[in-house]
Amino acid sequence: VQLQASGGGVVQTGGSLRLSCEASGSIYAVYAMGWYRQAPGNQREMVARIRADQNKIYADSVKGRFTISRDNAKNTAYLQMNSLKPEDTAVYYCSADLTMHRGLVPEEYWGQGTLVTVSS
């Protein structure tokens, strides 16, 4: 199983970026998918999570600016980030709770990070 994150880059304050995260491999079912971020010197924090039923939660710091979505058929999650601020600068990681076989307890998998830099 692999999670491939993409879409990071450099953007000016107020700009937008869209991150993608695709889970691939021998997957039976994907439950929750999420985006986390870690800025230098800080702990990793949850940005947004979405369940298979499309239920979503957001960190207070990104509510109204970021939107998480997913395409269940593609096992892919997206993070649309608008009105970006310098404090959004971080490495963004995606995660997925998934099972490889029917009947197993879901396990959490992580993708490699993608760097988002917001310049002032």
Side-chain angles (χ1 to χ4, degrees):
V1 174
Q2 288 188 329
L3 267 64
Q4 182 67 45
S6 61
V10 180
V11 64
Q12 290 187 333
T13 297
S16 299
L17 283 174
R18 188 191 194 212
L19 306 182
S20 298
C21 174
E22 179 183 10
S24 62
S26 180
I27 297 171
Y28 174 75
V30 180
Y31 300 92
M33 298 187 76
W35 288 97
Y36 294 74
R37 67 186 181 186
Q38 186 168 17
N42 291 355
Q43 292 187 332
R44 188 174 298 188
E45 62 177 358
M46 189 276 293
V47 176
R49 284 179 64 81
I50 183 170
R51 300 191 323 202
D53 63 3
Q54 305 293 331
N55 184 275
K56 307 168 187 178
I57 60 171
Y58 294 95
D60 288 343
S61 59
V62 306
K63 283 180 181 177
R65 300 188 298 121
F66 291 10
T67 301
I68 190 170
S69 60
R70 64 187 284 174
D71 183 332
N72 289 336
K74 297 180 179 179
N75 289 334
T76 299
Y78 307 94
L79 186 68
Q80 178 66 43
M81 304 185 295
N82 298 329
S83 302
L84 282 160
K85 305 175 181 180
E87 51 263 43
D88 294 318
T89 296
V91 177
Y92 284 70
Y93 299 89
C94 65
S95 74
D97 296 338
L98 59 86
T99 57
M100 297 176 66
H101 299 286
R102 180 181 179 181
L104 294 181
V105 175
E107 295 183 47
E108 187 173 44
Y109 288 80
W110 290 87
Q112 90 289 358
T114 184
L115 178 62
V116 171
T117 302
V118 184
S119 61
S120 57

